[in-house]
Amino acid sequence: MECLTQPLYYCFNLLMLKHMNRLKIAKITEISAGIAFILLGVLVFGLSFISMEYGDKSVFLLIILLVMGISGVEAGLFWIKRFYLMKGGLEVETPKRFIAKAASAAVPMIFVITIISICFGIIGFSVAYYFLINYLLAGFGSLDMVWVTAYIVLILIYVFVLRMAFKNRFKDMLNDSLQKIIGEYPKVEIAGDDLVLHLGKGFLEQYRDLKIPLREIEDVKVLNRYEGMALLKYVLGPDIEFGVKSVSEKIKYQQGKIKIPKFFSYMENSTGAKTLYLAGPELLYLVGVQENEELKKLKSL
């Protein structure tokens, strides 16, 4: 009897997953990816000590491994923070198109596959760490403590000196660079009964201002880069039709064959940009835009 009920139990769980909060799905999946980056970074640190035991004591190699380890840990922490702090933006209705609904319905299955991948990842990291620890213990007697001490000191200098001293300066430099890049991004303007997207240099001059009647827009979301990525992956799903039609309609629009595209994706989820999500009975837009006063007005519509 148990053999018959067990598959039904798993099917029931899979059906219930369709109603699972998409925000939780995004957080579980992306935070797991961040943890994997951290584990990979720590593994590289371990390989540095293996190199000291069994390989040539190369300063260049140790510096390379140090940078790789730090990069892995920092990337993991950055990714975890971005998705842990994400509080919304995924509460949108699935488009009524058949392919869009099918793509959205596939998200729970993609999540299940991701969980299975995470399980395999845990097994893989467990095996890697098992061999790492065994090799470290086996060659512990041949470790040159001068090299070990120097390597640990370098890590501590990074954590407690460089990271803390230059963290804010690095953020300021990054923000300055972003401002220069963002200056070329599309802008939003509300002009009468229209929402105007000033698309910028990526389009011919006569097609840079795309006017969308406000009456055709039913849902508006202004998302950061990571919320936009989560929207694509965990709400809209692998909507192939949107991807294909957004390309074909963009070409038709630039050729003057249509007044406005129904499907439009342009610079969405770009670094430093806000992702503007517009949806209506006949349209779906994902556009990377600058944050300005007009965009703030749009949020309140």
Side-chain angles (χ1 to χ4, degrees), residues 17-29 86 90-92 94 101 103-108 111 230-231 233-237:
L17 192 61
K18 290 182 181 180
H19 305 287
M20 184 178 178
N21 187 309
R22 297 298 171 105
L23 185 61
K24 289 181 180 177
I25 290 178
K27 284 192 172 188
I28 290 169
T29 306
M86 190 171 66
L90 309 186
E91 306 83 6
V92 301
T94 304
K101 284 186 173 294
S104 182
V107 170
F111 178 65
L231 177 75
K233 290 172 71 174
Y234 305 109
V235 178
L236 299 180

Side-chain angles (χ1 to χ4, degrees), residues 196-200 202-212 245-264 285:
V196 182
L197 286 173
H198 300 288
L199 298 172
F203 287 76
L204 296 173
E205 190 172 351
Q206 62 266 39
Y207 302 117
R208 287 180 186 172
D209 293 341
L210 201 163
K211 295 182 180 180
I212 309 161
K245 286 193 173 181
S246 64
V247 172
S248 63
E249 297 216 350
K250 193 185 298 178
I251 294 170
K252 289 178 184 177
Y253 173 68
Q254 291 198 83
Q255 292 174 341
K257 294 180 179 179
I258 55 176
K259 189 175 180 181
I260 63 167
K262 291 183 178 179
F263 301 91
F264 191 73
Y285 279 48

Side-chain angles (χ1 to χ4, degrees), residues 79-289:
W79 206 250
I80 290 169
K81 183 179 179 181
R82 289 296 174 275
F83 284 95
Y84 177 76
L85 294 175
M86 190 171 66
K87 295 180 179 178
L90 309 186
E91 306 83 6
V92 301
E93 187 176 342
T94 304
K96 294 180 174 63
R97 293 174 290 110
F98 172 77
I99 293 178
K101 284 186 173 294
S104 182
V107 170
M109 182 59 71
I110 293 171
F111 178 65
V112 170
I113 293 170
T114 302
I115 293 298
I116 293 170
S117 301
I118 289 170
C119 292
F120 277 108
I122 291 170
I123 294 170
F125 275 116
S126 298
V127 172
Y129 274 94
Y130 170 79
F131 282 109
L132 176 70
I133 292 168
N134 277 343
Y135 275 108
L136 284 173
L137 292 176
F140 186 78
S142 61
L143 271 174
D144 187 332
M145 296 311 295
V146 174
W147 280 77
V148 171
T149 303
Y151 192 73
I152 292 173
V153 167
L154 284 176
I155 295 173
L156 294 175
I157 287 173
Y158 170 76
V159 173
F160 295 106
V161 179
L162 296 178
R163 196 175 191 275
M164 299 185 79
F166 293 99
K167 184 178 180 181
N168 291 333
R169 190 177 298 179
F170 177 74
K171 282 185 177 179
D172 291 339
M173 289 171 59
L174 184 62
N175 286 332
D176 290 341
S177 300
L178 279 177
Q179 291 308 313
K180 294 177 183 177
I181 297 170
I182 292 169
E184 300 294 328
Y185 285 174
K187 296 178 183 177
V188 171
E189 180 187 355
I190 299 171
D193 296 328
D194 294 324
L195 184 155
V196 182
L197 286 173
H198 300 288
L199 298 172
K201 296 179 181 178
F203 287 76
L204 296 173
E205 190 172 351
Q206 62 266 39
Y207 302 117
R208 287 180 186 172
D209 293 341
L210 201 163
K211 295 182 180 180
I212 309 161
L214 289 171
R215 66 178 181 275
E216 295 185 13
I217 302 171
E218 289 184 346
D219 193 9
V220 176
K221 290 280 187 301
V222 179
L223 312 169
N224 65 33
R225 182 188 181 195
Y226 305 96
E227 290 167 342
M229 290 168 63
L231 177 75
L232 277 174
K233 290 172 71 174
Y234 305 109
V235 178
L236 299 180
D239 188 350
I240 299 171
E241 183 183 24
F242 171 65
V244 172
K245 286 193 173 181
S246 64
V247 172
S248 63
E249 297 216 350
K250 193 185 298 178
I251 294 170
K252 289 178 184 177
Y253 173 68
Q254 291 198 83
Q255 292 174 341
K257 294 180 179 179
I258 55 176
K259 189 175 180 181
I260 63 167
K262 291 183 178 179
F263 301 91
F264 191 73
S265 65
Y266 182 60
M267 297 183 72
E268 70 275 16
N269 308 328
S270 297
T271 301
K274 294 291 184 181
T275 295
L276 177 63
Y277 167 84
L278 303 173
E282 299 293 329
L283 62 86
L284 179 60
Y285 279 48
L286 285 170
V287 187
V289 295

